[in-house]
Amino acid sequence: GCTVKYSGYLQHKEEPFCTHCPEDFPGLMKLGQDITLYGLEVGLLTMKKGEVAKFVFTPDYAYGQRGCPPLIPPSATVMFEVELLDFLDTAESDAFFELTAEQQDAHPLQKVLRVADTERQFGNYLYREQLFEVAKSTYKRALSILSRPSSSEMEQRQIDASKLPVLLNLSATYLKLERPDQALAYGRKALDINQSHPKALFRCGQACLCMKEYEKARDFLVSAQHIRPFDRDINRKLKELA
């Protein structure tokens, strides 16, 4: 999937016949589903994140011999100005979610971890776009993937290592949604994995501060400060608490 900005022009025309901005489509657009123009699909696959490009498409790569009346005449050559803002390869993730529950459980762990990481990255994109409700659901989907039982201690360590950033992101998202009780719950789950993780302690401190549980907030934030004494965010919250 990708976040893309583009405009399409007919030859010798200054005004575009189509434009697209991320504001029009807040999620990632998928090639072959949301973006179906063959030339545009091929062009995007050659681009890097942040790149701006111009493509000229002959009819075979654009709207064919028939065109697309009334905007596109027959056998039209078109030019597209394209900016690739963000890109995330979701093919493996999409294929995973088409499997049955039994097939998902039998999937190799390394592939499951990659799918969960893709979902987490998509959640991060949604978080940056301030789509917190959708980000929350995406992080929870990543967490559900990682809920499968492990067959060894080594596998459990790998699963926990993937779970930890998802739990921290969920905690941060619930803070944005002004639900500090849930933020604290997910922060505590992160501490169950790593009891001295400074960001998990910080998230719990933030949540307690929001709930006006000042003594608990201080305990969490001081513990975080002991691990990262020069962290600006931690020190700022301690000043706020004081």
Side-chain angles (χ1 to χ4, degrees), residues 183-211:
L184 178 60
Y186 282 104
R188 287 188 182 279
K189 287 181 180 181
L191 288 174
D192 288 341
I193 294 174
N194 183 347
Q195 62 182 357
S196 60
H197 195 287
K199 190 172 284 187
L201 291 164
F202 178 61
R203 291 278 181 264
C204 290
Q206 283 180 290
C208 289
L209 188 57
C210 289
M211 292 188 290

Side-chain angles (χ1 to χ4, degrees), residues 142-198:
L143 203 57
S144 71
I145 297 166
L146 297 168
S147 64
R148 62 186 262 172
S150 60
S151 60
S152 67
E153 188 177 334
M154 182 181 293
E155 275 198 4
Q156 189 58 52
R157 283 199 298 268
Q158 289 178 290
I159 291 170
D160 286 345
S162 292
K163 270 186 181 179
L164 186 57
V166 180
L167 292 167
L168 293 170
N169 291 349
L170 269 166
S171 183
T173 304
Y174 273 113
L175 285 169
K176 290 291 187 181
L177 291 169
E178 298 182 354
R179 294 176 61 186
D181 56 330
Q182 288 295 310
L184 178 60
Y186 282 104
R188 287 188 182 279
K189 287 181 180 181
L191 288 174
D192 288 341
I193 294 174
N194 183 347
Q195 62 182 357
S196 60
H197 195 287

Side-chain angles (χ1 to χ4, degrees), residues 16-227:
F17 63 82
C18 74
T19 58
H20 171 83
C21 293
E23 293 80 10
D24 304 327
F25 194 101
L28 291 177
M29 299 181 73
K30 292 187 178 180
L31 302 183
Q33 295 180 26
D34 305 307
I35 298 174
T36 55
L37 193 72
Y38 181 50
L40 197 53
E41 286 188 70
V42 173
L44 283 166
L45 288 171
T46 69
M47 296 178 68
K48 296 178 181 178
K49 180 179 175 179
E51 186 177 356
V52 179
K54 288 185 179 180
F55 297 105
V56 176
F57 302 136
T58 59
D60 288 344
Y61 285 84
Y63 298 95
Q65 304 304 313
R66 294 184 179 182
C68 189
L71 289 176
I72 314 296
S75 302
T77 295
V78 297
M79 188 272 287
F80 272 76
E81 293 180 348
V82 184
E83 181 178 2
L84 183 59
L85 302 172
D86 210 344
F87 180 82
L88 183 62
D89 186 355
T90 59
E92 187 173 27
S93 179
D94 294 340
F96 177 82
F97 289 113
E98 290 178 2
L99 301 174
T100 65
E102 291 78 11
Q103 289 172 323
Q104 289 181 6
D105 288 340
H107 222 52
L109 178 62
Q110 293 307 314
K111 290 187 176 182
V112 172
L113 296 178
R114 284 200 302 269
V115 170
D117 189 59
T118 299
E119 289 299 297
R120 183 184 62 81
Q121 290 182 55
F122 185 34
N124 292 349
Y125 162 77
L126 295 165
Y127 184 97
R128 291 193 299 270
E129 294 296 311
Q130 299 187 23
L131 299 167
F132 301 121
E133 279 289 350
V134 193
K136 176 199 72 178
S137 299
T138 305
Y139 289 138
K140 283 191 172 182
R141 187 158 79 155
L143 203 57
S144 71
I145 297 166
L146 297 168
S147 64
R148 62 186 262 172
S150 60
S151 60
S152 67
E153 188 177 334
M154 182 181 293
E155 275 198 4
Q156 189 58 52
R157 283 199 298 268
Q158 289 178 290
I159 291 170
D160 286 345
S162 292
K163 270 186 181 179
L164 186 57
V166 180
L167 292 167
L168 293 170
N169 291 349
L170 269 166
S171 183
T173 304
Y174 273 113
L175 285 169
K176 290 291 187 181
L177 291 169
E178 298 182 354
R179 294 176 61 186
D181 56 330
Q182 288 295 310
L184 178 60
Y186 282 104
R188 287 188 182 279
K189 287 181 180 181
L191 288 174
D192 288 341
I193 294 174
N194 183 347
Q195 62 182 357
S196 60
H197 195 287
K199 190 172 284 187
L201 291 164
F202 178 61
R203 291 278 181 264
C204 290
Q206 283 180 290
C208 289
L209 188 57
C210 289
M211 292 188 290
K212 300 182 179 180
E213 295 183 4
Y214 299 124
E215 288 188 16
K216 288 183 181 179
R218 185 182 183 281
D219 290 343
F220 282 122
L221 292 171
V222 167
S223 296
Q225 189 188 49
H226 284 160
I227 300 165

